[in-house]
Amino acid sequence: MTTGPGSTSAKILRRDRGAGWIGGVAAGIASRFGIDVSLVRLAFVVATAAGGFGLGAYLLAWILIPSGEPGSPGSRLPTGRAAVEVALGTGLLLLAALLTFRALGIWFSDAVVWPLVLIASGGALLWRQSLGGPDSGAEDSPARPLAGAPARAAPAPEALAAETRRAAAAISRTGIGIALVIAAGFVFLQATGALGAARDVLLALIAAVVVLGVIFAPWVVRLVRSLTHERAERIRSQERAEMAAHLHDSVLQTLAMVQRSAGDPGEVAAIARRQERELRGWLAGRPSRGSDPLEGSLAVALEAAAADVEERYGVPVEVVVVGDRDLDANHEAIVAAAREAMTNAAKFGGGSTVDVYAESASGRTQVFIRDRGPGFDPAAVPGDRRGVRDSIVGRMERHGGRARVANAPGGGTEVELVLEERQ
Amino acid sequence: MSGPRVLIVDDHQLFRAGVRAELEPLLEIAGEASGVEEAVTAIEQHAPDVVLLDVHMPDGGGIEVIRRTAARTESPPCFLALSVSDAAEDVIAVIRAGARGYVTKNISGEELADAVRRVHGGDAVFSPRLAGFVLDAFAGPAPQQQSELDALTAREREVLQHIARGYMYKEIALRLDISPKTVEAHVSSVLRKLQLSSRHELTRWAAERGLDL
């Protein structure tokens, strides 16, 4: 067995809850003084067996020695299961101690054994819960905005749901702890035969609880409400920070670029156009172009292709998609062919807007790419210009589709791509 | 020149000035307004033929202007919505409130003037994107209470597809071998369906903008 992970930097005595079994006392001592943790544990067990001194020392150390610095990798905080294990461990340890006492003859009555064990377990669970709770919250929440970042549009409900789940788990653990402690009380009363008298006490107790509830309920409600409010506020401020970050590296950046190239109207228009497309995509919750272009839908892929062509040739490309669908190999081919057609339209269309229209319904996908340039004569295309023949017509045919290039009425060229899904 | 008189409504002063500079050589500008309240009084005062209407403004936006004007006057002007937004709920909501067309703000001055004239002439103006929205909205199977308003005819669908492909009305007429008037009739019919249909998609988009129809 090796020493705990906190050993390298530990100069001060800290409990190492990550490496520890119960409270990390033994692991903390071991790493502070550079001895094997099993030796420390053995020492505690021997000390416990020999008169119970070890148990007292352990509990005292647990309370007095602070746990490792929050956030350091060594201080892994207890999950739900760890908390339960702690409760179980405490109970068993106490049982061992009691049995030792009994064997040594320092003993009053068997009646106290089970109540003590139960109350120790329940108490450990409760203490662990109420002391560890805020810690685990602090550990989790800074990581949350990063994890939620790609979701962008709706991080709030997710974060809230996660918090709710965590809160529910904490409440259920607290509930088990309380039940254990109450059970301890009952067992004790049962064993001492005081249950009958306890009934009267219980009535008085219930009355007291009701009275106290009425007095303190508004205060508790207000506390809960302010906590909820604070949580919502925190999530909102995270969203605001994220929004600010996005605007900073997109819009503000673009405005700076516009100022620098103010002398070149074409360049300014291209920059503005690119930014507009990017911002619209962001507002609509579409993934940015940095992500894998093959991942996603037909609409996303066509938009990305259009943005790329637009940027490269400085010609506006308008995309309208009706009835989106997922991409497969054939639809990737239709996007690639459409991209080639957009490039041609941008190059030879005389700088006019390129209109792209895609429609996908009941297994049939059509894409139209139209420009308003001087038109196109298929017969006049020289043999070495392979763009149209290979990248558009050939590619569509290889993937079971077809392509048609024609002069559009009113001038310009229109490319039509069709893909029918075979059953 | 007896072209239509235009009122420009937008809460951005810079944008109003830009549109005015572009349209002034082509059309007669009746005035400007910078908000809902101002627009409603300006419409009464100047009696424009066409109102270029910004969709997003404080106090209810373009929809509110259309609604309040309709409540005040017998013969409201034609409304042409002009917006940076191309979100479905904006487009559909303003059309259902009574606008006769929708164009986005990156349209050129000449195209805008042409759209104003067409709206004034009683036609509907559909940008390619709006045509795409309509096709999307009417794509699914028609709802149970089958009404003539809830589905497009094959011809209307064809016309819309060509608008979405970037064809102008004249080109569509050439392509489909019908007269430009017939194309306009189809588009107007689609506009009517868009405004009156009870299709779920349309009512939902409208409801998202707080338009209870």
Side-chain angles (χ1 to χ4, degrees), chain A residues 179-421:
Chain A
L180 282 175
V181 174
I182 289 175
F186 268 109
V187 171
F188 181 73
L189 292 174
Q190 175 77 45
T192 52
L195 204 56
R199 205 174 303 130
D200 301 337
V201 179
L202 195 67
L203 270 176
L205 202 67
I206 288 172
V209 166
V210 168
V211 167
L212 287 177
V214 170
I215 294 170
F216 286 110
W219 178 76
V220 170
V221 166
R222 203 169 58 227
L223 189 73
V224 166
R225 222 177 261 160
S226 83
L227 281 177
T228 317
H229 178 77
E230 191 189 329
R231 195 165 59 189
E233 191 60 44
R234 201 176 68 221
I235 289 168
R236 217 171 297 141
S237 80
Q238 280 169 9
E239 277 177 351
R240 208 159 32 228
E242 209 186 298
M243 171 87 86
H246 178 86
L247 291 181
H248 194 269
D249 39 84
S250 62
V251 177
L252 288 182
Q253 203 93 312
T254 300
L255 288 177
M257 279 163 71
V258 165
Q259 284 171 40
R260 271 183 26 207
S261 46
D264 183 351
E267 176 70 15
V268 168
I271 294 171
R273 181 91 190 142
R274 192 186 323 149
Q275 180 58 61
E276 182 192 339
R277 186 182 288 275
E278 198 263 344
L279 195 59
R280 275 193 202 288
W282 190 71
L283 287 172
R286 280 197 292 266
S288 72
R289 271 195 297 130
S291 56
D292 186 357
L294 298 184
E295 211 173 282
S297 68
L298 183 68
V300 171
L302 282 174
E303 286 279 359
D308 205 42
V309 170
E310 199 169 83
E311 204 167 308
R312 198 161 300 171
Y313 299 98
V315 172
V317 183
E318 289 287 349
V319 181
V320 176
V321 180
V322 170
D324 204 1
R325 58 156 296 144
D326 289 339
L327 282 185
D328 56 17
N330 287 345
H331 286 84
E332 277 168 27
I334 206 173
V335 170
R339 181 202 197 85
E340 197 62 36
M342 286 181 222
T343 306
N344 280 339
K347 267 202 236 165
F348 307 113
S352 65
T353 302
V354 178
D355 283 295
V356 179
Y357 172 67
E359 187 175 336
S360 186
S362 49
R364 180 184 160 95
T365 303
Q366 275 179 299
V367 183
F368 297 90
I369 300 97
R370 137 139 226 195
D371 67 61
R372 300 189 163 275
F376 173 82
D377 182 2
V381 174
D384 59 330
R385 274 270 317 282
R386 301 163 41 136
V388 170
R389 197 163 304 157
D390 280 3
S391 324
I392 301 178
V393 181
R395 181 179 267 137
M396 288 310 296
E397 278 165 5
R398 277 198 298 282
H399 287 88
R402 60 179 192 276
R404 189 181 57 86
V405 184
N407 286 316
T413 312
E414 186 169 56
V415 179
E416 178 186 0
L417 311 170
V418 187
L419 192 63
E420 313 249 11
E421 218 153 331

Side-chain angles (χ1 to χ4, degrees), chain A residues 75-114:
Chain A
S75 72
R76 190 161 45 82
L77 284 154
T79 57
R81 187 185 303 188
V84 172
E85 278 164 3
V86 166
L88 214 60
T90 310
L92 290 175
L93 213 61
L94 188 69
L95 191 62
L98 287 175
L99 289 175
T100 314
F101 282 132
R102 191 164 186 245
L104 291 172
I106 316 164
W107 200 240
F108 325 98
S109 153
D110 284 356
V112 297
V113 175
W114 290 115

Side-chain angles (χ1 to χ4, degrees), chain A residues 30-126:
Chain A
S31 75
R32 167 65 183 85
F33 298 104
I35 29 177
D36 194 296
V37 69
S38 348
L39 285 177
V40 183
R41 282 181 186 138
L42 191 66
F44 270 117
V45 172
V46 169
T48 302
F53 163 73
L55 180 76
Y58 191 96
L59 289 179
L60 207 62
W62 194 354
I63 294 165
L64 292 181
I65 300 174
S67 72
E69 303 106 85
S72 80
S75 72
R76 190 161 45 82
L77 284 154
T79 57
R81 187 185 303 188
V84 172
E85 278 164 3
V86 166
L88 214 60
T90 310
L92 290 175
L93 213 61
L94 188 69
L95 191 62
L98 287 175
L99 289 175
T100 314
F101 282 132
R102 191 164 186 245
L104 291 172
I106 316 164
W107 200 240
F108 325 98
S109 153
D110 284 356
V112 297
V113 175
W114 290 115
L116 274 180
V117 170
L118 281 176
I119 208 162
S121 304
L125 205 58
L126 284 176

Side-chain angles (χ1 to χ4, degrees), chain A residues 9 14 29 47 92 128 133 139 163 218 221 239 256 347 368 383:
Chain A
S9 65
R14 285 266 189 271
I29 291 173
L92 290 175
R128 188 79 182 189
E139 166 132 323
E163 292 225 7
V221 166
E239 277 177 351
K347 267 202 236 165
F368 297 90

